[in-house]
Amino acid sequence: MLATSSLISSDFSTLVFLRNQKVASRISFPNSAKIKNSKTQFCNSSIYRYNYYIKTKISGFGEKGRPYVCHSSLNLQNQEDPAMEKDVDASLQEKELGGGNNNGGNGDQWDRTSSFVLFGLWSGLMYYVFFLAPNQTPLTDMYFLKKLLNLKGDDGFQMNEVLVGLWYIMGLWPLVYSMLLLPTARSSKGSIPVWPFLVLSCFGGAYALIPYFALWKPPAPPVEEAELQRWPLNLFESKLTAGVTMAAGLGIIFYAGLSNGDVWKEFYQYFRESRFIHVMSIDFSLLSAFAPFWIYNDMTARKWYDKGSWLLPLSVIPFLGPALYLLLRPSVPTVPALSSPTLTEEE
């Protein structure tokens, strides 16, 4: 009568404990001389441990009421499959080259629905900017633009401090996004490069970046060591660049933030009447709203989420949160320079 069974080894079948009857059994093992596998040290040690277990634990062969039946299905010749090893090596190589790291979002989550929503948002924004935004002071807008570009001399008119601060902080946002999107937000599953959108963001801000957000397909390709020594990554990965950006942003925000209430009331009136100031203010809000997501993406790509997750709540602070993250983040992981296909085939 079958009472219980016990698993002896992952390479062997079970021992069946039978009670109240005697069963003659014989344990046989493959001859080690016939093993064709070149790596037999592990197999021999497994046989030794199995024999030792049999001698010590199953010393009651032939005793009444304690017979055992052992079956072995060990096949050492097929222990290693070359095709399986090849697949495993390919998977490990893909993971080492960056396919296995976490780049803050994956292709399954960032699907067509997200792209459709972002394109819809961008289309709505464009329609609002050109057809619905207030445009009561077009001549004043042109005058403000010339003053901010230093195309007009000193005519005695003092520009609104909040407007001046917003203008200069908008000039720093493209640098912040360039440091966030290069290299950890490049698209590896499509032929859409990120740099044209970053260049256009110097003039269009978030209105130029949102189409890339919709077209982005993670994960980012791996970064080679030599890339960090070349432009533009040597600039955008530099702590000096991050420090200068942070210091400039602090100065501009303090300059605008310390203005009195009359200055802020004047700026609010401009916001309600001027298309130029209205659209620029919305642009600032959009860049601040998208920044936490790209900080999370960059943080996970650098494998720094466990230590740097406390910066995510701070990233919602307009400009200063992203600038602080850029100053504190570690270097991006790199891989050695990949060999050319010709050299690989020759080897």
Side-chain angles (χ1 to χ4, degrees):
M1 180 177 181
L2 180 61
T4 181
S5 63
S6 173
L7 182 64
I8 293 181
S9 173
S10 60
D11 295 333
F12 300 90
S13 58
T14 59
L15 282 176
V16 182
F17 296 86
L18 302 176
R19 297 179 181 176
N20 300 325
Q21 67 179 16
K22 294 183 180 181
V23 179
S25 67
R26 183 180 60 183
I27 304 175
S28 61
F29 297 94
N31 190 355
S32 59
K34 297 181 180 180
I35 297 176
K36 297 181 180 180
N37 193 345
S38 59
K39 300 179 181 180
T40 59
Q41 183 176 0
F42 172 80
C43 301
N44 293 334
S45 61
S46 299
I47 295 173
Y48 174 79
R49 291 195 302 268
Y50 185 80
N51 286 330
Y52 178 78
Y53 183 88
I54 296 300
K55 292 178 181 180
T56 56
K57 298 296 182 180
I58 315 179
S59 59
F61 270 102
E63 296 180 4
K64 186 175 182 179
R66 296 292 305 275
Y68 299 89
V69 177
C70 302
H71 300 280
S72 175
S73 60
L74 181 63
N75 189 356
L76 298 176
Q77 296 180 0
N78 298 324
Q79 185 173 351
E80 293 187 3
D81 190 351
M84 183 181 297
E85 290 183 354
K86 184 177 180 180
D87 294 339
V88 173
D89 293 340
S91 301
L92 292 175
Q93 183 178 5
E94 181 181 357
K95 185 175 182 179
E96 292 175 356
L97 293 180
N101 61 358
N102 189 0
N103 288 325
N106 52 55
D108 295 334
Q109 296 177 350
W110 199 263
D111 54 6
R112 295 179 180 179
T113 303
S114 300
S115 299
F116 178 80
V117 170
L118 286 173
F119 271 123
L121 172 64
W122 180 75
S123 301
L125 286 171
M126 292 297 99
Y127 182 83
Y128 179 83
V129 166
F130 289 104
F131 298 104
L132 299 179
N135 190 23
Q136 302 177 17
T137 57
L139 295 179
T140 304
D141 290 353
M142 185 60 63
Y143 174 79
F144 284 164
L145 184 60
K146 291 180 179 180
K147 289 284 289 185
L148 292 171
L149 292 174
N150 295 320
L151 298 179
K152 278 187 171 293
D154 187 6
D155 55 1
F157 180 79
Q158 184 178 359
M159 292 288 293
N160 183 276
E161 288 86 351
V162 178
L163 173 59
V164 174
L166 178 63
W167 170 262
Y168 284 110
I169 208 73
M170 291 302 297
L172 293 177
W173 268 117
L175 180 60
V176 170
Y177 268 86
S178 297
M179 299 172 72
L180 286 176
L181 300 183
L182 287 174
T184 57
R186 294 180 294 180
S187 184
S188 62
K189 294 184 178 180
S191 58
I192 305 299
V194 63
W195 64 265
F197 298 90
L198 292 174
V199 173
L200 292 175
S201 69
C202 297
F203 309 96
Y207 306 110
L209 288 175
I210 292 177
Y212 178 76
F213 298 166
L215 297 172
W216 175 61
K217 299 296 181 182
V223 181
E224 297 183 13
E225 295 176 353
E227 287 187 82
L228 295 181
Q229 308 301 324
R230 298 194 301 264
W231 192 89
L233 289 188
N234 58 352
L235 173 66
F236 297 144
E237 288 289 319
S238 172
K239 293 297 182 183
L240 178 61
T241 305
V244 171
T245 304
M246 180 73 177
L250 277 173
I252 294 170
I253 289 175
F254 274 111
Y255 170 77
L258 295 178
S259 302
N260 56 42
D262 294 334
V263 175
W264 282 95
K265 289 180 180 179
E266 183 184 32
F267 176 80
Y268 178 69
Q269 187 67 27
Y270 289 154
F271 175 79
R272 294 181 58 187
E273 299 175 353
S274 168
R275 172 175 290 180
F276 168 60
I277 298 175
H278 189 89
V279 170
M280 185 168 55
S281 301
I282 295 177
D283 189 8
F284 177 83
S285 301
L286 290 171
L287 293 171
S288 302
F290 279 109
F293 171 81
W294 294 109
I295 288 176
Y296 172 77
N297 174 77
D298 187 80
M299 184 182 297
T300 52
R302 296 170 190 268
K303 298 178 175 60
W304 198 51
Y305 180 79
D306 293 339
K307 296 182 178 179
S309 58
W310 62 275
L311 286 169
L312 285 177
L314 299 179
S315 65
V316 300
I317 302 176
F319 189 84
L320 293 181
L324 178 63
Y325 167 76
L326 294 174
L327 184 63
L328 300 179
R329 69 179 181 177
S331 300
V332 64
T334 59
V335 297
L338 300 177
S339 302
S340 62
T342 304
L343 294 177
T344 306
E345 291 177 0
E346 291 178 357
E347 293 178 358

